[in-house]
Amino acid sequence: MDLVWLLCIFVLFFEELSLGWSKPDADADAVTIGAIFTFSTINGKVAQIAMKAAENDVNADPTFLGGRKLSISMHDSNFSGFLGIIGALQFMETDTVAIIGPQSSGTAHILSHLANELQVPMLSFTALDPMLSPLQYPYFIQTAPSDLFQMIAVADIISFYGWREVVTIYSDDDHNRNGVTVLGDQLAERLCKITYKAVLPPDPTVTENDVRAELEKVQQMESRVIVLHAYTKTGLLVFNVAKRLGMMESGYVWFTTTWLSSILDSNSSLVATSIQGVLALRLHTPDSKRKADFSARWNSLSNGTIGLNPYGLYAYDTVWMIARAVKMFLDQGNNVSFSNDTKLNNVGGGALNLEALSIFDGGKQLLSSVLQTNMNGLTGPIKFNPDRSLVHPSYDVINVLENGYRQIGYWSNYSGLSIVPPEELYAKPPNRSSSNQHLNSVIWPGGTSNKPRGWVFPNNGKQLRIGVPRRVGYRDFVEQVNGTDIVHGYCIDVFLAAIKLLPYAVPHKFVLFGNGHENPSYNELVNMVAADVFDAAVGDIAIVTNRTKIVDFTQPYIESGLVVVAPVRNMNSSPWAFLRPFTPLMWAVTGVFFLIVGVVVWILEHRINDEFRGSPRKQVMTILWFSFSTMFFAHRENTVSTLGRMVLIIWLFVVLIINSSYTASLTSILTVQQLSSPIRGIDSLIISNSPIGFQVGSFAENYMVEELNIPKSRLIKLGSPEEYASALETGRVAAVVDEQPYIDLFLSNHCKFSIRGQEFTKSGWGFAFPRDSPLAVDMSTALLTLSENGELQKIHNRWLSKRACQNSGAESDQLHLQSFWGLFLICGVSCVIALLIYLFFILRKFKRHSQQASEPSSHGSSSSARLQTFLTFADMKEDKSRSKSKRKRNNDLMNGGRNSNLPGMDPIC
């Protein structure tokens, strides 16, 4: 603040020395407004014409300001903040009620202190620095959208296309520097970042050498997404140099802020063909009749010297905002008056003439009237939010082409990116979901319509140096071929398959890491990636916490986790081992069904089959013998009836299944193995004092020492599957702790060992890349694709799916009833159906017999007697002869000829 007043005093001092500046005379009937711009710039020229047109339009109605006229006094700052300060001081001496400008944000930061002190509202549509806080500068108002929203739009577009790293080029002044700072914050919210900031001297002091030096640095960067935030001279110079350096070819992505679109609208001849393919933002102004009429007037207003751009529309509306505020101020009965600032009276006297600077008495009321603006201007509806930002700021997204530009969409703070004009979306609920973000197709630098990758490999596309562990054991994962630099294996095949799915070539070479005598340290390999010794690491590298802190991993391509392996031996045999295949319930149900089937077959065969007749003792023995002999298919009794044969066939099928299952289960149980070690998992291993083996280079050592607090003295290094087997067999170690993929491969060839317990860590293997490497993201996507299309499983089967040992360590499960209830249900239903059919036929025959009996039984009137008669009838032997005709049987009955007490009957079908 003291520096500001020192500058003011310095200026006043030179004014008193008559350096050629004079105070403009104030018209007593005019309301004076000051304007500070650099007239030689495009926006300065457009603003000068537009503000003059607005002044004339306001004064066209003499009654608008109650008979007063609006007078705009313009001052040319000529790219100089110093001259801008002088202009503002001159306006403060001539009773100016408001100031439009300044054009640059740097000057605005200084003049806002002056506006605060003298209570003169300052309105600017070009000084859009987001750091111009209304809390610090209450009398400064931005009448166009702040660059905060412009940077949000840029960040949204970058995120929309999926880029994660950005390079910025900007002029080192308040406006551009603060804009890039805000851009960095917005990118961070979208998980993106600025990887390099190329800083140029402020416009217009920048030279071609300055630009070339920075662009050559940018060429060395990995990112090819560049955001250029500068003024006209600097921006055009950057593109000219970039063209000569080959930075406008395919593969590059260029974004610019609104400075480029203002050039294209006002003077497209300044834009060279080198800018083709650039994406730029343009302040969005909705179409309206007023806008169309003003655009039609523009040629006559400008005499064809310059085209109209959106800043001209905002300049016109800013004048009208002040005019309407003055009208409201006057209509409320306020007077335009000024008074001396008592603070200046104490600064000093002499020739400084500080008393000429006066406070606008109605400044606070006029400021309030401006903030209450609610009108439709050339730029659309104009209204301020409580934070003094404009309601619904929006931009056009344009694609610069060789012959101009085309619009590919819009951005608004309401709904984000869209191909529908923002004003059509305001009536709908806001929707900023990723699925609702849209832009039309783009022609990128180099004339391609394919979206650029947005980055290149380090060292200008040279081959990536990919570190590969030189393994000693488990070479199915990574193996050096015959002492050459060629490597293959499961991990290598997965990496090469993923590389093929990328939409770009990845030049690379594998560099073996390790001495070849023992497995290398994987932590050291990962550290070499972080130190840029290797550009990536490929192999059986576990994704663990300490490694993820220094590198980026891809998605896991195989699951992993630590497990415990211990030796096994044959289970001790038991004299009752033959009962173990079935559960007790299974045995009981099977026995019951043997009896049920025997009884059912006896019932169906008893009347017609001599083998199922005889004394009660013989019949019971027949039922038991027949039932249990079917288990071995050794039954001697023949079945005669159709129903009996049906039941027997179904039962024999059930017996076949039960016998086969019993045999298989008993064989498995008698050969099953169990652990001889008391180790039941990691918990029992921790509390014991037994030595533990681990693989050299694995993270298992650090995990057991640091996480499980196992003394390092208990850990024994092992390097190969053969060492595992030897150490476990000889008792050198009680168990081995290693990752699941290694153990699966080990157990496929060593059946004397088994996993004990569950995995006690959960992780996976991935490929390691330097932090924030975009290749890590693309490779993760490729690995997911391999998993979805089944290629990952095919690679796994080719290298790792070897036949594992059977029954390695886990006891075979007994066979339960639920495994066979379907068979028993079928058998039971068939028995019931056969009995029902048999009962139907026997009752019909009994009825026929009762009706044909010549002398009814004396006991026929009794139910018990009738039941006894039925049972006697059912127990009697049935005549099996099928040769007699029905007529002969009838004749025999009429003559009373019988072979027995009962008539002959047909066998039951």
Side-chain angles (χ1 to χ4, degrees), residues 46 71 260 286 327 451 535 541 564:
V46 171
S71 175
L260 180 57
K327 174 179 172 57
K451 188 195 80 171
D535 299 312
I541 306 171
V564 177

Side-chain angles (χ1 to χ4, degrees), residues 573-710:
S573 299
S574 168
W576 302 103
F578 69 91
L579 295 175
R580 291 173 56 197
F582 290 161
T583 62
L585 179 60
M586 180 67 183
W587 279 116
V589 173
T590 303
V592 169
F593 262 84
F594 271 108
L595 295 176
I596 290 174
V597 171
V599 172
V600 170
V601 172
W602 177 82
I603 292 173
L604 298 176
E605 297 289 324
H606 177 66
R607 298 188 72 243
I608 62 176
N609 192 338
D610 291 335
E611 294 181 348
F612 288 84
R613 300 188 62 81
S615 64
R617 181 175 178 274
K618 179 183 177 182
Q619 293 182 57
V620 171
M621 295 302 297
T622 299
I623 292 173
L624 294 176
W625 166 255
F626 178 84
S627 298
F628 290 100
S629 63
T630 57
M631 178 183 296
F632 311 103
F633 304 98
H635 52 285
R636 294 175 299 177
E637 293 79 9
N638 294 321
T639 53
V640 176
S641 68
T642 302
L643 291 175
R645 289 174 177 174
M646 179 192 72
V647 170
L648 184 60
I649 288 173
I650 294 175
W651 174 243
L652 290 178
F653 175 76
V654 174
V655 169
L656 175 64
I657 299 300
I658 292 175
N659 279 343
S660 301
S661 302
Y662 175 86
T663 302
S665 180
L666 182 61
T667 303
S668 174
I669 289 174
L670 293 179
T671 58
V672 75
Q673 296 174 321
Q674 70 177 6
L675 289 172
S676 60
S677 169
I679 303 301
R680 293 294 181 267
I682 188 61
D683 293 332
S684 58
L685 188 62
I686 292 174
I687 62 177
S688 71
N689 292 319
S690 304
I692 305 170
F694 69 94
Q695 184 180 180
V696 176
S698 170
F699 77 95
E701 179 184 15
N702 287 340
Y703 185 86
M704 287 189 286
V705 172
E706 297 176 4
E707 300 296 332
L708 304 181
N709 298 319
I710 296 176

Side-chain angles (χ1 to χ4, degrees), residues 381-492:
I382 301 174
K383 187 177 180 181
F384 290 98
N385 289 311
D387 63 354
R388 298 194 181 186
S389 64
L390 290 172
V391 175
H392 298 323
S394 54
Y395 297 87
D396 300 332
V397 184
I398 65 173
N399 184 199
V400 183
L401 303 177
E402 192 170 348
N403 56 351
Y405 67 85
R406 67 186 182 96
Q407 191 165 326
I408 62 170
Y410 307 88
W411 179 91
S412 72
N413 196 42
Y414 188 75
S415 295
L417 298 172
S418 172
I419 57 176
V420 179
E423 54 271 15
E424 295 183 19
L425 300 174
Y426 294 151
K428 303 177 182 178
N431 185 353
R432 299 201 58 153
S433 64
S434 58
S435 60
N436 198 53
Q437 306 299 294
H438 301 288
L439 287 176
N440 289 321
S441 60
V442 177
I443 303 299
W444 302 98
T448 179
S449 58
N450 296 324
K451 188 195 80 171
R453 186 173 62 202
W455 58 274
V456 295
F457 297 109
N459 303 320
N460 289 325
K462 294 181 181 178
Q463 282 188 326
L464 296 181
R465 289 172 49 85
I466 299 178
V468 176
R470 182 182 280 143
R471 292 198 56 85
V472 175
Y474 296 111
R475 296 186 177 182
D476 298 78
F477 297 105
V478 179
E479 181 181 14
Q480 180 183 11
V481 179
N482 299 327
T484 66
D485 290 337
I486 301 174
V487 290
H488 66 184
Y490 169 71
C491 301
I492 302 300

Side-chain angles (χ1 to χ4, degrees), residues 631-904:
M631 178 183 296
F632 311 103
F633 304 98
H635 52 285
R636 294 175 299 177
E637 293 79 9
N638 294 321
T639 53
V640 176
S641 68
T642 302
L643 291 175
R645 289 174 177 174
M646 179 192 72
V647 170
L648 184 60
I649 288 173
I650 294 175
W651 174 243
L652 290 178
F653 175 76
V654 174
V655 169
L656 175 64
I657 299 300
I658 292 175
N659 279 343
S660 301
S661 302
Y662 175 86
T663 302
S665 180
L666 182 61
T667 303
S668 174
I669 289 174
L670 293 179
T671 58
V672 75
Q673 296 174 321
Q674 70 177 6
L675 289 172
S676 60
S677 169
I679 303 301
R680 293 294 181 267
I682 188 61
D683 293 332
S684 58
L685 188 62
I686 292 174
I687 62 177
S688 71
N689 292 319
S690 304
I692 305 170
F694 69 94
Q695 184 180 180
V696 176
S698 170
F699 77 95
E701 179 184 15
N702 287 340
Y703 185 86
M704 287 189 286
V705 172
E706 297 176 4
E707 300 296 332
L708 304 181
N709 298 319
I710 296 176
K712 201 168 185 177
S713 58
R714 290 179 56 192
L715 305 182
I716 298 177
K717 294 182 179 180
L718 303 173
S720 66
E722 292 72 22
E723 285 190 57
Y724 280 20
S726 176
L728 289 169
E729 287 176 346
T730 60
R732 182 183 170 200
V733 296
V736 170
V737 174
D738 206 348
E739 297 177 61
Q740 182 80 54
Y742 300 124
I743 297 304
D744 289 342
L745 197 59
F746 171 72
L747 293 179
S748 67
N749 298 314
H750 298 82
C751 299
K752 298 180 180 180
F753 313 101
S754 177
I755 296 174
R756 293 301 285 168
Q758 303 295 323
E759 284 184 339
F760 54 92
T761 66
K762 288 291 184 182
S763 62
W765 291 353
F767 304 133
F769 292 90
R771 297 289 285 180
D772 302 318
S773 172
L775 188 57
V777 177
D778 291 349
M779 284 293 288
S780 293
T781 303
L783 289 173
L784 290 175
T785 303
L786 287 177
S787 178
E788 292 170 358
N789 63 22
E791 186 63 26
L792 196 59
Q793 185 62 42
K794 292 179 182 178
I795 299 173
H796 183 278
N797 295 339
R798 185 162 63 247
W799 285 98
L800 306 180
S801 291
K802 300 182 178 180
R803 188 177 183 84
C805 298
Q806 299 294 324
N807 305 315
S808 55
E811 183 176 321
S812 299
D813 291 334
Q814 290 181 308
L815 297 175
H816 296 266
L817 178 62
Q818 54 262 37
S819 301
F820 299 92
W821 71 268
L823 288 173
F824 288 125
L825 178 63
I826 294 173
C827 184
V829 171
S830 65
C831 289
V832 172
I833 292 174
L835 289 175
L836 291 176
I837 294 174
Y838 176 82
L839 181 62
F840 171 78
F841 281 108
I842 198 69
L843 287 175
R844 190 176 70 172
K845 291 180 180 182
F846 176 74
K847 183 179 180 181
R848 187 189 307 166
H849 163 69
S850 299
Q851 292 174 351
Q852 293 175 354
S854 57
E855 296 181 1
S857 172
S858 60
H859 302 286
S861 60
S862 171
S863 298
S864 59
R866 187 171 180 83
L867 177 61
Q868 183 178 358
T869 302
F870 172 75
L871 294 177
T872 302
F873 173 79
D875 184 59
M876 287 183 176
K877 178 73 168 63
E878 181 179 351
D879 186 4
K880 298 185 292 182
S881 174
R882 296 175 180 270
S883 61
K884 293 182 179 182
S885 65
K886 182 176 181 180
R887 185 189 313 174
K888 185 177 180 179
R889 291 199 305 270
N890 291 337
N891 290 335
D892 290 342
L893 290 172
M894 293 176 63
N895 295 329
R898 296 180 180 86
N899 294 327
S900 64
N901 294 332
L902 296 172

Side-chain angles (χ1 to χ4, degrees), residues 135-257:
L135 297 177
Q136 184 179 7
Y137 308 118
Y139 281 85
F140 181 82
I141 304 172
Q142 294 172 333
T143 59
S146 165
D147 276 352
L148 166 65
F149 302 105
Q150 183 172 204
M151 296 309 169
I152 294 175
V154 173
D156 279 348
I157 298 172
I158 291 172
S159 178
F160 171 78
Y161 285 111
W163 295 306
R164 289 291 174 262
E165 295 186 353
V166 175
V167 170
T168 57
I169 303 174
Y170 62 95
S171 298
D172 192 19
D173 56 44
D174 288 345
H175 175 258
N176 295 294
R177 187 190 314 111
N178 292 337
V180 169
T181 300
V182 171
L183 175 62
D185 295 339
Q186 295 301 321
L187 288 172
E189 292 181 6
R190 293 156 180 79
L191 302 181
C192 308
K193 68 174 185 177
I194 298 174
T195 56
Y196 181 72
K197 295 180 180 180
V199 184
L200 300 174
D203 201 8
T205 61
V206 63
T207 65
E208 183 174 327
N209 290 334
D210 297 328
V211 174
R212 176 178 291 275
E214 285 300 324
L215 289 185
E216 287 175 348
K217 295 178 184 177
V218 172
Q219 276 188 305
Q220 304 302 316
M221 299 296 114
E222 189 172 339
S223 174
R224 286 294 184 263
V225 180
I226 304 171
V227 178
L228 178 56
H229 187 44
Y231 293 121
T232 302
K233 178 183 177 181
T234 300
L236 294 178
L237 184 57
V238 167
F239 280 124
N240 289 335
V241 176
K243 176 69 173 179
R244 292 196 292 271
L245 293 177
M247 298 177 65
M248 299 302 299
E249 304 298 329
S250 297
Y252 281 89
V253 178
W254 287 85
F255 286 96
T256 75
T257 46

